[in-house]
Amino acid sequence: PPGHPEHGWPRWLLSRLHADWPDALPQILQASQQAPPMWLRVNRQRTGTVEYAQRLAEAGITIHRHDVLPDALRLDEPLPVSELPGFVDGVVSVQDGSAQLVADALLPDAGTRVLDACAAPGGKAAHLAERDATLRVTALDIDPRRMRRMREGFERLGLPSIAVLAGDAAGVVGEEGRATVVAGAHLVGVLLAGERRHRHAVADLHGLHRVDAHERAGELGVGLLGRVETQAAEAVEQRLALGDQRRGGQ
């Protein structure tokens, strides 16, 4: 019925959630009806989180810091980005707190090549570049229509060094060396996002097999961040284990 917590959920996904989380299912469905909070990511190339929090306070905007997310601020009430001080100048972006965990989970070494294999709208790639200007970041997405928006976002943030490409990750030929791969996670992740924050990155459940083709180019750091639908997560973990076995035998 309209308004029921199950309304709007596909039956196949409800069945999987019931199998994976039978005791927590009512809370998961109830949480899915709540409006998510608005999170900001402060561009540390332009200012610090403490300094920007002060700017918001002076503008009468109430925020909350997070102990685990050094670049994040959560707003008490959502606002149009036009009302955020410094947004146009690239001082701040809107990005969910769970998505900001990726930069801390990866912690790539200076100068590392990073491929964001499902990059649009570009938040994770931008966050990594804001953290370390020496990273060689490539933002790749299969939909060329989203490229212009990503480029405009990187320009606003002062990150012209990020290479923006349209294409399938299977067509990317890497040079020798280490590559850290961040692939968009098509999970229900916002509900329990952050549960797996100590994994290295996010894996694309539908395209992970295409990444395997480039293991010959070097070491790929691929992991999983946040999971609700455990069958999909277990499939990724099995794929990662298979890749480890292959590399170990080379």
Side-chain angles (χ1 to χ4, degrees), residues 38-40 52 56 61 75 77-89 92-95 149 156:
M38 183 172 178
W39 289 87
L40 306 180
Y52 189 71
L56 292 178
I61 300 172
L75 298 182
E77 298 289 341
L79 291 174
V81 294
S82 59
E83 297 183 19
L84 295 174
F87 181 85
V88 174
D89 299 322
V92 69
S93 298
V94 176
Q95 186 181 34
R149 182 181 176 187
R156 179 181 68 84

Side-chain angles (χ1 to χ4, degrees), residues 19-162:
D20 292 337
W21 310 97
D23 296 331
L25 184 58
Q27 291 91 334
I28 292 174
L29 297 180
Q30 192 65 43
S32 73
Q33 293 192 310
Q34 307 302 313
M38 183 172 178
W39 289 87
L40 306 180
R41 186 190 75 242
V42 178
N43 183 355
R44 60 172 68 183
Q45 296 285 336
R46 299 286 172 88
T47 189
T49 307
V50 173
E51 291 78 7
Y52 189 71
Q54 181 62 36
R55 288 185 66 179
L56 292 178
E58 292 171 356
I61 300 172
T62 303
I63 55 90
H64 302 276
R65 298 284 305 275
H66 194 286
D67 293 339
V68 177
L69 304 171
D71 302 315
L73 297 171
R74 179 172 57 84
L75 298 182
D76 249 8
E77 298 289 341
L79 291 174
V81 294
S82 59
E83 297 183 19
L84 295 174
F87 181 85
V88 174
D89 299 322
V91 175
V92 69
S93 298
V94 176
Q95 186 181 34
D96 190 76
S98 61
Q100 295 187 46
L101 288 165
V102 172
D104 286 316
L106 277 171
L107 293 177
D109 296 332
T112 297
R113 292 186 303 122
V114 179
L115 170 64
D116 190 343
C118 304
K124 298 180 184 69
H127 194 193
L128 288 166
E130 289 170 0
R131 286 284 190 86
D132 185 350
T134 70
L135 296 178
R136 294 175 289 164
V137 181
T138 298
L140 177 74
D141 199 272
I142 200 168
D143 186 350
R145 295 172 298 180
R146 307 180 78 181
M147 297 299 101
R148 185 176 69 177
R149 182 181 176 187
M150 277 207 298
R151 289 193 180 95
E152 291 173 350
F154 297 151
E155 289 174 3
R156 179 181 68 84
L157 296 168
L159 304 171
S161 63
I162 298 179

